[in-house]
Amino acid sequence: MNTATRFSLIVGAIALAGLSAGCRGQSSKESPVFGIRNMYDQPKYQVQEESNFFSDHRTMRPLVEGVIAHDEDVDLGVSQGRLDDQTGYVLETPKEVVARVGGVEALQARGKARYNIYCAPCHDMAGGGQGMVTKHAQATGAAAFAPPTFHQDRLRHAPDGQIFATITNGKNNMPPYAMQIPVNDRWAIVSYVRVLQLAQPKLPEEKAPAPENKK
């Protein structure tokens, strides 16, 4: 092996060693190299970040008074399930919703489809509160996550608006579904819950077993 070949091999080995060392995540005080920085340094505000541009120093701007979303219902009975004076819930699904969905049968059919997607995993197909998610939670010792059965007097006599508000805002371990389910579909689910309550016999609430007396 001549001198030139030997020198080439040595240089190659050194270069390979340097490349290997550089790929092992070693720390460096040098600034990273960015070919295009406009996606790295974006002139934007983070959520809840302070701003010196506005007099109140808030980046998250409040809506202009009187402005509503294009698809938002201004009727509280439809959008929130509450009476206009905010003293309680509407007793029945608003007739306006029934009409724009296409009638009671169409509303219930739509409610069944949405219920089976969003509600049945926890509340089960019959509304007894023993869906697959609930059974899994109970099997892992998280029995407190079990939802109530719809076949109890408290929910049988609850106003439709209250059930709608629960779907909208969530309650206890149940998350809010206002973002996933449109207003009409939430009312459709309420209508189908009533169908389940009428179709199923009144089921007694399960009682926890009495604790054993240990001697």
Side-chain angles (χ1 to χ4, degrees):
M1 183 181 297
N2 56 33
T3 303
T5 303
R6 190 175 302 169
F7 179 77
S8 298
L9 291 174
I10 293 175
V11 172
I14 294 174
L16 182 61
L19 180 61
S20 177
C23 295
R24 294 188 180 183
Q26 296 181 358
S27 61
S28 173
K29 295 182 179 180
E30 298 294 331
S31 300
V33 177
F34 291 92
I36 302 177
R37 297 188 63 89
N38 58 352
M39 291 297 291
Y40 183 79
D41 296 324
Q42 298 185 39
K44 65 179 181 181
Y45 286 117
Q46 302 296 332
V47 176
Q48 302 290 355
E49 186 176 355
E50 184 179 0
S51 170
N52 293 323
F53 182 81
F54 300 102
S55 59
D56 58 3
H57 303 294
R58 291 190 297 176
T59 58
M60 301 179 68
R61 309 309 303 154
L63 294 177
V64 177
E65 186 177 357
V67 173
I68 61 174
H70 179 272
D71 296 329
E72 181 179 351
D73 284 289
V74 295
D75 186 346
L76 292 179
V78 175
S79 62
Q80 300 182 22
R82 298 190 65 85
L83 301 173
D84 291 337
D85 57 6
Q86 294 283 7
T87 58
Y89 298 100
V90 297
L91 297 180
E92 299 179 349
T93 299
K95 294 181 180 180
E96 176 185 347
V97 175
V98 178
R100 65 191 187 191
V101 172
V104 175
E105 292 185 1
L107 185 71
Q108 293 174 351
R110 179 68 177 178
K112 179 180 180 180
R114 299 300 94 183
Y115 177 93
N116 290 341
I117 293 173
Y118 293 103
C119 311
C122 291
H123 291 279
D124 76 48
M125 302 291 283
Q130 293 297 316
M132 294 303 298
V133 173
T134 303
K135 292 179 179 179
H136 178 72
Q138 292 173 338
T140 56
F145 287 89
T149 173
F150 294 142
H151 307 287
Q152 55 176 294
D153 288 339
R154 179 178 66 83
L155 295 182
R156 283 179 179 272
H157 299 293
D160 284 2
Q162 183 177 353
I163 299 177
F164 174 86
T166 300
I167 299 172
T168 301
N169 305 313
K171 185 176 181 181
N172 299 331
N173 297 314
M174 176 180 168
Y177 283 93
M179 296 299 295
Q180 297 94 325
I181 309 177
V183 171
N184 287 354
D185 286 350
R186 276 175 262 158
W187 282 115
I189 291 174
V190 173
S191 180
Y192 184 67
V193 168
R194 296 309 192 197
V195 171
L196 293 177
Q197 290 174 332
L198 292 174
Q200 298 294 326
K202 184 176 180 179
L203 303 177
E205 297 185 47
E206 295 185 3
K207 297 182 179 180
E212 298 181 1
N213 295 325
K214 297 183 179 180
K215 299 181 179 179

